[in-house]
Amino acid sequence: MTIANAVNEQRLWQRHMDLAKIGATAKGGVNRQAFTPEEAEARKLLAGWAAARGFSCAVDDIGNLFFRRAGTDPDAAPVVTGSHIDSQPTGGKFDGAYGVLAGLEVLEAAEDAGIVTKRPLEFVAWSNEEGGRFQPATMGSAVYTGAMNFDEMLAVIDRTGAKVGDLLPATLAATPGAQRRAFGTPLGAYIEAHIEQGPILEMEDLTIGIVTGIQGCRWFAVDVEGSEAHAGTTPFSARRDAFRAAHAIVAELYELTVDDKDILRFTVGCFEVAPGSPNTVPGHVYFTLDIRHPDAAFLKELGDKVEDVCRRNANGLKYTLRETYNVPPIKFDDGVVGRIRDCTKELKLSHRDMISGALHDAKYMNDICPAGMIFVPCEKGISHNEVEAARPADLAAGARVLAEAMIALANQ
Ligand code: HGY
Ligand code: MN
Ligand code: MN
C-alpha cells in the first residue's frame, strides 16, 4: 500500500471537526488565540490522538509542540511538517489546523501502511503563529530558529497587559509527559500544508498550489498622545486631538498605498480611541499597520516612509512608532519545491505554482533547512473569518502530496 492510498479523508475531516469544537464560535469559526485555556485544551486533544498511535511528544520552552514517529536511524534529523493551532479572534476551522492535522494524518497513514523510513517523521504545532494577541506573529518558529530572542518574547504583552512569560507555564502544563527539546534542534527538511487563504486555486479549478515563496511583510504599532478635552466647549485652536492626528496619518498612508495592479497589501487592523466617550476629545489613539509586498526593495522603501508620514501628520502631538515585525520576502528550496511538484504530478492532481500572500512558520524553517509549502483551495478564498471553509477531498489531496513528499525525503 502506498502512503497516499493510506491517507484517510474521513479521519482527517473528523479531526478538523473535533478540534474546531475547542474555542468554537456561534458563527461556526474558532476563537483559540495563543496561550489561552482553549489553545491548551487543543494541545491536550492533539497529544491524546498522537499518544494513541504511539507517537512520542516533545515541547520546547516557548511551547512549540512536536510529535514523532521513529525512523530506522535515530540519529538522523527528522522530516517535519506542521503549522499552528492558535487562531485569529474570529478565525476559521482550517487556518493552521489543517497543516497540523495533515501532519498527524501522514504519521497515521505511515503506521496504517506499515511504512518504514530512515529518518523520523514529525509534525509540529508552532506557538503563537497568528500574532493577533501577542505581536510579533510566527513567534514560536522564529524563536526556534534564533531569528527572534526568547527573553524578549517572554516580555511581550497583549492589550490587557497579560505577558507571554506569565502564560507559558499553563501552555506547557497541557502536555506534562512531553520531553523537553532545545531550540534549534536540527530538521532534515520541512513542508507545511495550508489552505490557500486566497481565491486563485478555486477560481482556476485547481487542487494543489505549489508554493515557491512568501511575500514580505512589515508591521508597525503607533501610539498618538493628545489631551482629553470637553467636546462642546474646547475650540479647535485649543485641542490636542489624538484621533485627528491618527486619522491624518492613516489617510495619507491609504493614499500612498493605492496600487493599480492590486499587488500591495495595506491594513489598519487595530484602531483604539481612548477614552472612548462621545463628548470627550480623544487623548490617546493606538493603531497598527500591516504592509505586504513580494518585492523586498519596494517593501523597504514604503515601510521606511511610515516614520515621515507620522511626523508630518502628528500636528505637533507626541507619538511613538514601533516596528513589531519585519519579514522580507523569501523563496523556498528548489529541491523541496521540485519534490512537491513531482509528487503532485505522480498523483495526477491539477496544480500551479504560486507565492503565498500570508505568512507561515515555513518562512523561518526555510532559514535552517530545505523547506516548502503545499496549498489547497478554500471556499471563495475567505480566511481570517469564521465562515472559512474547505472541502474534505481537497484537504485529503493535499495530505497525500505531503505524505508522498515526506516519505521520499525521509529516505534520503
Ligand atoms: O498574518 C499572516 O499572514 C498569518 O496568517 N499569520
Ligand atoms: Mn495559518
Ligand atoms: Mn492566519
Side-chain angles (χ1 to χ4, degrees):
M1 196 187 204
T2 66
I3 188 144
N5 288 335
V7 165
N8 183 327
E9 178 182 317
Q10 177 53 30
R11 177 172 60 192
L12 178 60
W13 180 255
Q14 193 56 48
R15 296 259 196 251
H16 281 86
M17 297 306 110
D18 291 345
L19 188 62
K21 288 178 191 152
I22 304 174
T25 60
K27 289 187 188 163
V30 295
N31 179 3
R32 200 170 53 227
Q33 295 183 73
F35 309 125
T36 56
E38 290 78 19
E39 198 226 11
E41 197 57 36
R43 288 168 178 263
K44 285 185 198 160
L45 183 63
L46 213 51
W49 285 334
R53 296 306 301 256
F55 306 141
S56 60
C57 177
V59 69
D60 65 21
D61 287 350
I62 200 158
N64 295 317
L65 186 59
F66 303 84
F67 298 97
R68 171 178 288 218
R69 180 177 185 264
T72 54
D73 181 353
D75 298 326
V79 172
V80 182
T81 185
S83 196
H84 57 98
I85 53 171
D86 68 314
S87 81
Q88 289 287 318
T90 53
K93 297 187 186 80
F94 303 95
D95 176 2
Y98 172 52
V100 175
L101 296 175
L104 171 61
E105 184 55 41
V106 170
L107 270 64
E108 293 204 88
E111 281 294 289
D112 294 343
I115 287 168
V116 175
T117 58
K118 179 179 141 222
R119 294 175 184 274
L121 298 176
E122 287 193 351
F123 72 97
V124 50
W126 299 107
S127 272
N128 187 28
E129 191 278 344
E130 291 289 7
R133 180 180 179 197
F134 294 104
Q135 292 86 51
T138 57
M139 186 184 274
S141 53
V143 166
Y144 188 84
T145 66
M148 291 179 196
N149 179 278
F150 178 51
D151 291 326
E152 284 174 22
M153 295 306 122
L154 290 179
V156 168
I157 54 171
D158 71 5
R159 295 300 293 161
T160 70
K163 199 187 280 185
V164 169
D166 293 338
L167 298 174
L168 256 179
T171 296
L172 296 174
T175 50
Q179 297 159 6
R180 255 326 151 88
R181 178 173 294 195
F183 294 138
T185 303
L187 276 56
Y190 180 83
I191 304 178
E192 180 164 345
H194 208 283
I195 56 166
E196 181 199 338
Q197 306 182 279
I200 297 169
L201 292 174
E202 186 183 74
M203 262 166 22
E204 298 184 4
D205 197 19
L206 300 172
T207 305
I208 301 292
I210 294 156
V211 186
T212 55
I214 303 181
Q215 73 173 341
C217 174
R218 294 178 77 172
W219 282 6
F220 298 89
V222 186
D223 284 276
V224 182
E225 296 291 344
S227 305
E228 289 85 13
H230 195 290
T233 60
T234 316
F236 279 128
S237 58
R239 290 185 185 205
R240 301 179 70 248
D241 184 340
F243 175 78
R244 192 165 188 171
H247 174 269
I249 293 167
V250 167
E252 182 170 343
L253 287 171
Y254 271 115
E255 271 172 33
L256 264 179
T257 52
V258 169
D259 175 17
D260 296 341
K261 297 198 191 91
D262 206 6
I263 293 169
L264 173 62
R265 304 282 176 257
F266 172 70
T267 305
V268 181
C270 303
F271 201 103
E272 295 174 9
V273 181
S277 165
N279 47 356
T280 295
V281 174
H284 183 242
V285 171
Y286 162 81
F287 61 94
T288 60
L289 310 172
D290 175 315
I291 309 174
R292 308 198 194 199
H293 199 275
D295 184 298
F298 183 93
L299 185 64
K300 179 172 182 340
E301 194 181 328
L302 180 60
D304 289 353
K305 285 183 183 160
V306 170
E307 168 82 66
D308 187 48
V309 172
C310 289
R311 191 180 39 74
R312 281 188 288 98
N313 291 284
N315 210 11
L317 300 188
K318 194 171 154 245
Y319 67 90
T320 54
L321 170 68
R322 289 177 297 127
E323 182 159 17
T324 55
Y325 200 36
N326 185 342
V327 187
I330 60 132
K331 184 180 163 310
F332 285 125
D333 178 77
D334 285 338
V336 172
V337 172
R339 176 74 65 182
I340 293 168
R341 196 181 292 111
D342 290 347
C343 293
T344 304
K345 286 181 181 164
E346 278 160 28
L347 291 167
K348 300 193 178 2
L349 293 164
S350 58
H351 59 92
R352 61 164 282 166
D353 286 7
M354 60 201 310
I355 72 158
S356 174
L359 278 159
H360 300 286
D361 298 302
K363 164 355 216 197
Y364 286 98
M365 293 308 107
N366 193 57
D367 293 340
I368 61 164
C369 71
M373 288 191 76
I374 298 164
F375 277 175
V376 296
C378 60
E379 198 177 296
K380 298 194 182 85
I382 295 170
S383 187
H384 286 196
N385 187 314
E386 290 153 284
V387 305
E388 179 184 87
R391 288 189 300 240
D394 291 334
L395 300 177
R400 289 190 182 104
V401 175
L402 176 67
E404 291 289 353
M406 285 183 74
I407 298 297
L409 291 168
N411 287 319
Q412 270 182 2

